[in-house]
Amino acid sequence: MKEVKSPKKPLIYYYSIVLLIIFLFNLFITPMISQSQVVEVDYGRFMDMIEEEDIGVVQVEDTQILFTDKENTVVYKTGPMEDPTLTQRLHDSGAEFGRVIEEPTSPLLSLFFTTILPILIFVGLGQYMSRKLMSQAGGKNAMSFGMGKSSAKVYVPSTQGIRFSDVAGEDEAKESLQEIVDYLHDPKKYTEAGASMPKGILLVGPPGTGKTMLAKAVAGESNVPFFSISVSEFVEMFVGMGASKVRDLFKQAKEKAPCIVFIDEIDAIGQKRNSGSGYGGNDEREQTLNQLLTEMDGFEGNNGVIILAATNRPESLDPALTRPGRFDRRVPVELPDLKGREEILKVHIRKVKPAADVDLHTIARMAAGASGAELANIVNEAALRAVRNGRTIVCQADLEESIEVVIAGYQKKNAVLSDQEKRVVAYHEIGHALVAALQSHSAPVQKITIIPRTSGALGYTMQVETGDKYLMTKEEIEDKIATFTGGRAAEEVAFGQITTGASNDIEQATKLARAMITRYGMTEEFDMVAMETVNNRYLGGDSSLSCSADTQNKIDRKVVELVRTQHQKAKQLLEQNREKLDRLAQFLYEKETITGEEFMEILKGEEKE
Ligand code: ADP
Ligand code: ZN
């Protein structure tokens, strides 16, 4: 671990100097520069002058009204009042609406002294220090101690009244969070049953999918205070700051319980320790993390503080955070599918005036892969474009144009599949599902989607086992292997081409085939001979082979044979059902997510013909 504690003292030292300089500037120089001859008068005097038609130029602002007399010799200032006819009366009195020059001195000069110079000093000092730190910390990641962010927004208790209905789509996430809302409404019901709520819930999903909104909605629905803290903002600040903020936050939260505490970007502190990345020695992060863990362990299950945290990199989190009693529940918040995108667009289009020709379905289709935040942005860009063209009404062309503006931003991030890729993924997933459905022993599919997942999968097919299964027959295992190969088989059948998309399938199929031989004794050749010893059945099946090298070779060959047979079978099944494959894949390509029922409908619908 690298020690980078030494900057502690100099940091505060330098900051104090800067603060002192700014203070002096404001005390002596600023008044000198901006000394202007503004005379403050009461509102009555202002009204009198209007009556006497003695107003030259007037400038009405939210917080003050500035005006001059007819000769423009004196600048007056008064506070604003509720006065609906003011504008008309001013107009009648012959006043001119315009800017009242408040500061006779060059505004540029004063801007320089009051704002730019202190900023320059800040930036300069920051650079100097980070360079100094760079040499101290061996150049590794020293920038994070710099002054990239100077303000740490810590917590905002807020009741903005966001409800679940404001979050479009994301039905599954809402459903899982509903329980929390129930609990906060009536904690007694749960305590009486001896049930305790999870202390921490992890909202997992890509940026802009509405995690923050969902957390606020939980607070809004349960009508409890909402505290939020964005970790990345303070973790780079003074040493010891993060931990004390966390302590402070929890102190307040406990006083206000029941309440929601929301920790955004938890991966900024919750990253695996000693991960070997540049963060290896950042003990500021570690301190903050430790404080968070201490706080979470410190309160009992039912004190009404529910912690929601958001991350888009769940795999990089320190295991200490996801241990039972901490963030032990996960709620996936995935990118919206076509229907979800349309719903989100509907929510945001309410803020503007859409023309009659606006067709959100088409926009949703064009914006494949966009997140909720990006969709909100598309609507906003469209409104801006309308204004640029001198309109207040947003039309379809505005929306279509702004998709390109916004998409250009995110396509670079590589988050979006090209059209062809989407087609391939659709065939791949339908391949799995169709092979499963065509074999009598396979479990029916529940849901198929080609929306890229947080896990990195481009699509997935969710199967449900009907009832709990403890025993599997040899045929069932074979069918399962065939289902795993179904994705690749569909690519071959439809495109005559194969892609890298099947790597996980290959792993799974191989594992099953190997287990058939070495653990379940399901092959003629090896009969019921144990080839493998499972060391720890409960911890992920850590196992070792216990056989001769020659046997190992034979096993390997048998594995290949088993998988190949099933792969051929899958291919054959798909070729025989080519039409169904095409139709289902096209349907999935268009809708992006289909349910098991829709799948079966299409499958059966064709059989009737
Ligand atoms: P995250 O926390 O997941 O990064 P946010 O909750 O901050 O995302 O969402 C950012 C913005 O995107 C929101 O303020 C909202 O305008 C828009 N948005 C995202 N998801 C949705 C959704 N499901 N429904 C409506 N608006 C959404
Ligand atoms: Zn697959």
Side-chain angles (χ1 to χ4, degrees):
M1 206 166 80
K2 279 207 178 73
E3 271 301 325
V4 265
K5 255 188 174 160
S6 50
K8 200 171 183 173
K9 235 186 204 155
L11 203 65
I12 287 163
Y13 175 71
Y14 287 122
Y15 268 114
S16 328
I17 293 185
V18 174
L19 284 175
L20 194 71
I21 293 174
I22 292 176
F23 180 66
L24 289 177
F25 261 123
N26 280 320
L27 203 62
F28 297 112
I29 299 178
T30 315
M32 247 168 60
I33 298 165
S34 61
Q35 202 173 51
S36 49
Q37 305 82 345
V38 179
V39 181
E40 190 152 2
V41 294
D42 67 18
Y43 202 77
R45 177 76 198 282
F46 179 43
M47 297 216 313
D48 288 343
M49 283 175 71
I50 297 177
E51 212 112 293
E52 291 156 22
E53 307 203 334
D54 193 23
I55 306 265
V57 185
V58 63
Q59 179 182 350
V60 181
E61 292 175 356
D62 286 348
T63 53
Q64 60 177 8
I65 299 173
L66 295 167
F67 58 99
T68 64
D69 59 0
K70 260 272 141 28
E71 283 77 37
N72 277 333
T73 42
V74 191
V75 177
Y76 295 95
K77 177 172 130 181
T78 187
M81 297 282 244
E82 180 75 39
D83 193 345
T85 62
L86 176 66
T87 317
Q88 190 57 44
R89 291 208 320 277
L90 278 168
H91 182 67
D92 291 342
S93 76
E96 195 186 310
F97 294 90
R99 287 205 76 78
V100 176
I101 311 295
E102 195 196 351
E103 294 166 2
T105 27
S106 153
L108 269 180
L109 199 69
S110 76
L111 186 72
F112 178 76
F113 277 113
T114 54
T115 324
I116 298 176
L117 194 64
I119 288 175
L120 283 179
I121 295 176
F122 246 94
V123 171
L125 214 66
Q127 295 240 314
Y128 164 66
M129 275 183 23
S130 58
R131 211 163 300 148
K132 206 172 144 178
L133 274 166
M134 203 89 89
S135 52
Q136 277 177 5
K140 245 193 176 182
N141 202 46
M143 275 313 282
S144 62
F145 283 91
M147 287 173 219
K149 285 166 187 154
S150 56
S151 74
K153 195 180 83 210
V154 185
Y155 37 75
V156 226
S158 75
T159 41
Q160 279 152 312
I162 291 189
R163 310 297 296 255
F164 276 152
S165 53
D166 296 316
V167 186
E170 303 297 351
D171 294 331
E172 282 154 45
K174 281 190 232 170
E175 212 170 283
S176 348
L177 292 171
Q178 184 59 45
E179 198 184 2
I180 307 296
V181 175
D182 276 350
Y183 166 75
L184 288 171
H185 266 306
D186 188 7
K188 248 210 229 136
K189 191 169 81 188
Y190 287 81
T191 22
E192 271 168 18
S196 60
M197 268 293 120
K199 288 180 196 167
I201 294 154
L202 209 52
L203 300 171
V204 179
T209 44
K211 297 184 290 297
T212 312
M213 264 187 114
L214 277 167
K216 282 185 184 160
V218 172
E221 290 280 338
S222 354
N223 206 9
V224 299
F226 178 78
F227 293 86
S228 96
I229 190 166
S230 181
V231 176
S232 65
E233 281 182 41
F234 65 73
V235 84
E236 298 178 359
M237 295 283 294
F238 302 111
V239 173
M241 188 89 142
S244 78
K245 292 288 175 215
V246 169
R247 201 176 311 125
D248 221 30
L249 173 71
F250 276 88
K251 197 169 143 252
Q252 295 217 10
K254 273 182 229 164
E255 281 163 13
K256 291 261 162 34
C259 66
I260 301 282
V261 171
F262 178 62
I263 305 175
D264 206 358
E265 302 177 77
I266 195 165
D267 37 89
I269 44 162
Q271 247 166 43
K272 283 190 191 111
R273 282 170 279 198
N274 308 321
S275 58
S277 73
Y279 292 106
N282 188 342
D283 51 42
E284 166 60 1
R285 254 188 50 245
E286 214 159 287
Q287 274 178 28
T288 313
L289 175 60
N290 283 337
Q291 187 63 38
L292 179 65
L293 297 177
T294 314
E295 294 290 347
M296 287 190 82
D297 292 344
F299 62 74
E300 313 80 47
N302 275 327
N303 72 349
V305 180
I306 301 274
I307 312 165
L308 300 178
T311 178
N312 57 341
R313 286 176 297 168
E315 68 290 337
S316 75
L317 285 185
D318 196 308
L321 267 174
T322 46
R323 208 164 283 162
R326 291 169 183 166
F327 290 98
D328 49 5
R329 197 185 277 191
R330 258 179 207 211
V331 174
V333 186
E334 301 288 358
L335 285 172
D337 61 358
L338 180 61
K339 189 160 148 279
R341 289 199 301 270
E342 197 177 334
E343 278 169 21
I344 294 172
L345 283 169
K346 267 187 208 149
V347 168
H348 290 281
I349 204 82
R350 277 192 229 131
K351 295 174 196 153
V352 302
K353 292 189 201 124
D357 73 331
V358 166
D359 173 12
L360 294 182
H361 185 76
T362 310
I363 301 298
R365 180 176 295 273
M366 288 169 75
S371 69
E374 280 156 348
L375 292 167
N377 201 5
I378 285 173
V379 173
N380 191 46
E381 282 290 332
L384 289 176
R385 184 172 180 267
V387 173
R388 274 201 296 277
N389 295 339
R391 284 177 282 118
T392 50
I393 302 217
V394 175
C395 62
Q396 183 77 354
D398 294 326
L399 286 162
E400 285 178 10
E401 186 83 358
S402 55
I403 290 178
E404 272 163 41
V405 175
V406 177
I407 280 186
Y410 69 77
Q411 260 182 348
K412 280 196 210 96
K413 284 185 279 161
N414 220 346
V416 181
L417 298 180
S418 76
D419 210 49
Q420 178 60 17
E421 282 169 329
K422 218 172 120 183
R423 224 171 262 283
V424 173
V425 177
Y427 268 95
H428 180 105
E429 296 306 327
I430 291 293
H432 287 306
L434 194 54
V435 170
L438 292 170
Q439 301 171 119
S440 49
H441 298 294
S442 289
V445 293
Q446 191 182 45
K447 182 174 153 186
I448 312 170
T449 169
I450 52 170
I451 304 285
R453 319 300 288 182
T454 324
S455 63
L458 296 177
Y460 84 135
T461 303
M462 206 163 119
Q463 289 196 336
V464 260
E465 302 286 345
T466 33
D468 284 334
K469 278 251 164 100
Y470 295 105
L471 290 174
M472 281 216 284
T473 64
K474 184 180 166 197
E475 285 72 30
E476 280 168 337
I477 298 189
E478 283 173 349
D479 288 354
K480 227 172 160 173
I481 297 175
T483 301
F484 280 127
T485 62
R488 161 70 63 90
E491 292 177 32
E492 290 168 308
V493 170
F495 304 101
Q497 227 174 24
I498 55 178
T499 66
T500 52
S503 58
N504 184 45
D505 302 335
I506 290 171
E507 205 181 307
Q508 302 260 27
T510 311
K511 230 189 240 169
L512 268 182
R514 184 171 289 276
M516 276 178 81
I517 305 164
T518 60
R519 282 160 73 173
Y520 307 137
M522 284 179 174
T523 49
E524 282 290 317
E525 291 92 321
F526 303 100
D527 202 57
M528 285 182 64
V529 177
M531 307 287 173
E532 199 181 45
T533 328
V534 180
N535 296 334
N536 193 332
R537 199 173 292 278
Y538 301 102
L539 291 177
D542 199 9
S543 59
S544 49
L545 279 180
S546 48
C547 53
S548 69
D550 185 39
T551 314
Q552 276 187 36
N553 278 337
K554 281 192 194 139
I555 292 175
D556 288 340
R557 250 173 283 142
K558 186 69 190 167
V559 168
V560 175
E561 191 193 313
L562 278 172
V563 174
R564 178 171 289 142
T565 313
Q566 296 311 317
H567 182 183
Q568 293 307 334
K569 180 170 104 187
K571 234 164 114 177
Q572 212 178 353
L573 276 171
L574 292 175
E575 266 158 5
Q576 285 161 359
N577 294 277
R578 179 65 202 266
E579 220 166 304
K580 287 175 192 166
L581 174 66
D582 286 341
R583 191 176 292 204
L584 283 161
Q586 179 62 25
F587 189 67
L588 176 61
Y589 168 80
E590 273 167 26
K591 276 203 66 189
E592 295 173 13
T593 301
I594 65 176
T595 63
E597 281 138 44
E598 287 170 320
F599 177 89
M600 290 315 282
E601 239 165 61
I602 296 183
L603 195 63
K604 287 196 186 121
E606 273 199 11
E607 272 167 4
K608 272 186 223 147
E609 284 166 14

